[in-house]
Amino acid sequence: MLSFRDKINFTDPEIIRKIAVSTGFFDEEDVKVTVALAKEALKGQSNSPENFNFLFAEDDGKTCAYACFGQVPESISTFELHWLSTLNEFRGQGIGKKLIEKFLEEVKKQGGTKVFIKTSGIPQYEPTRRFYESCGFSCEARLQDYYDEGNDCLIYSMRLNQN
Ligand SMILES: CC(C)(COP(=O)(O)OP(=O)(O)OC[C@H]1O[C@@H](n2cnc3c(N)ncnc32)[C@H](O)[C@@H]1OP(=O)(O)O)[C@@H](O)C(=O)NCCC(=O)NCCS
């Protein structure tokens, strides 16, 4: 049975590392960053003005997906999803979508009215883009050559109704 938790615990940095590596989407530097964010969240201290919240999906107690998000610094009620990954063998089972629903619920609870997600425009990320579209996000902007020459950043967004 699928369940969710928002408390990060001391085994999570390693679990996050395994999930991120399993996707085959992130290079070593990316993985280091996502693990470092988890360690900071665990210590309850971040050097960044952003606050990093984690959400985990568990299948019968096994952590199989995670999301990391936070309020955009200096914004009134705008949030960004920084990371989202499903353990490779659990992909395509609806877990990512349920985690997005949970994330949107949490953002609403925190007073959020708009959510942004950055992703890459290269062909490797086509399934990811389709995933976000299937979750109800729309592509609002394209920043050319953002990640690298020929690797654009696509900014997906969704407005949230606070009612
Ligand atoms: C993107 C990701 C988090 C999605 O999680 P998931 O658990 O596999 O997704 P789900 O099973 O919940 O899929 C939900 C919807 O997206 C669609 N989808 C998911 N993966 C897809 C794929 N490879 N191709 C096409 N559609 C896809 C599903 O068909 C489903 O649509 P539906 O509800 O209309 O049937 C996961 O595949 C992943 O970790 N990808 C690699 C890392 C990544 O790209 N992270 C985001 C970085 S910005």
Side-chain angles (χ1 to χ4, degrees):
M1 204 185 73
L2 200 66
S3 59
F4 299 91
R5 67 180 163 91
D6 58 8
K7 283 265 174 299
I8 185 159
N9 66 50
F10 73 97
T11 55
D12 286 324
E14 181 55 18
I15 289 171
I16 282 171
R17 191 188 67 73
K18 281 194 179 133
I19 295 174
V21 168
S22 81
T23 67
F25 270 59
F26 305 113
D27 64 23
E28 213 175 299
E29 265 320 296
D30 294 330
V31 173
K32 269 192 199 156
V33 171
T34 190
V35 171
L37 290 181
K39 286 183 177 165
E40 281 181 14
L42 200 52
K43 283 191 281 184
Q45 47 182 255
S46 163
N47 294 327
S48 152
E50 289 172 89
N51 57 327
F52 294 99
N53 302 272
F54 281 81
L55 270 179
F56 299 91
E58 293 186 338
D59 180 64
D60 287 333
K62 181 181 167 72
T63 304
C64 54
Y66 76 96
C68 171
F69 68 97
Q71 184 163 353
V72 175
E74 295 164 17
S75 76
I76 304 291
S77 57
T78 305
F79 283 71
E80 183 172 347
L81 180 69
H82 300 293
W83 294 90
L84 177 74
S85 295
T86 300
L87 196 61
N88 196 42
E89 60 264 37
F90 285 86
R91 276 163 71 181
Q93 297 178 22
I95 294 169
K97 197 168 197 170
K98 291 199 183 94
L99 195 52
I100 287 274
E101 284 163 10
K102 204 77 195 158
F103 151 68
L104 294 174
E105 244 174 58
E106 190 49 43
V107 167
K108 271 180 146 185
K109 252 196 246 165
Q110 295 189 26
T113 53
K114 190 153 185 189
V115 169
F116 288 99
I117 306 177
K118 287 192 203 125
T119 196
S120 162
I122 60 171
Q124 183 190 359
Y125 281 83
E126 217 216 305
T128 303
R129 298 192 294 270
R130 271 192 277 155
F131 165 78
Y132 289 135
E133 283 158 19
S134 120
C135 290
F137 290 86
S138 316
C139 185
E140 182 169 326
R142 179 175 205 116
L143 310 180
Q144 292 195 1
D145 303 322
Y146 181 89
Y147 294 110
D148 197 358
E149 204 57 35
N151 188 347
D152 300 348
C153 171
L154 301 191
I155 302 183
Y156 282 80
S157 70
M158 186 189 286
R159 272 195 188 284
L160 299 179
N161 190 342
Q162 272 296 329
N163 298 326

